Amino acid sequence: MRVFLKSATMLLLLGFLVGCQVERRKSDQELGLNAEQARGRRVYDNQCIRCHEPYSSRELHGPSLAKTYKKPYLPSGIPVNDDRMRDVILMGKTKMPAFNQTLTEKQLQDLLAYLKTL
């Protein structure tokens, strides 16, 4: 009976994994990122990705940032431009923590450059 349950569990897991398609992460070069945008991507990976999806519309702890700069407003109603994005990143918003003590000015500029590529 145990062998049967282990086999059935393994088959179920295998079937689940085969049905899932995991997209390979594209390189900076494949995305066409310049040096500033690539540095911004690293900032994003270190600070933002745990709460915000970069390329999918799926929400994590915060809204997806896919196509953010292609929209006129953030979900909160704030206009999307560098000044407003800078304010939200540095001062935080609702559940989002402030990053004014975490990011340098250069890192913030790089991050904004990367966000425009999403």
Side-chain angles (χ1 to χ4, degrees), residues 34-118:
N34 64 31
E36 179 184 39
Q37 294 162 340
R39 288 190 306 269
R41 186 182 192 197
R42 286 191 292 282
V43 172
Y44 190 93
D45 288 347
N46 288 327
Q47 303 296 335
C48 312
I49 203 164
R50 65 176 91 34
C51 294
H52 300 283
E53 282 282 347
Y55 296 104
S56 138
S57 61
R58 185 175 68 114
E59 291 192 9
L60 294 174
H61 299 291
S64 165
L65 295 181
K67 301 178 184 174
T68 295
Y69 268 89
K70 293 172 179 58
K71 301 172 190 170
Y73 300 98
L74 294 172
S76 63
I78 295 172
V80 176
N81 60 51
D82 284 351
D83 291 336
R84 297 298 69 80
M85 294 295 285
R86 174 185 296 274
D87 290 346
V88 170
I89 293 166
L90 293 178
M91 295 186 279
K93 182 98 174 113
T94 320
K95 296 179 187 177
M96 180 173 154
F99 287 89
N100 58 344
Q101 301 294 314
T102 307
L103 299 178
T104 66
E105 180 60 29
K106 180 66 177 143
Q107 288 173 318
L108 181 58
Q109 290 173 4
D110 294 343
L111 177 59
L112 291 172
Y114 173 64
L115 290 175
K116 291 174 186 173
T117 71
L118 300 179

Side-chain angles (χ1 to χ4, degrees), residues 13-25:
L13 181 59
L14 181 61
F16 177 74
L17 292 175
V18 169
C20 289
Q21 293 183 357
V22 177
E23 189 174 324
R24 180 184 64 80
R25 180 179 162 99

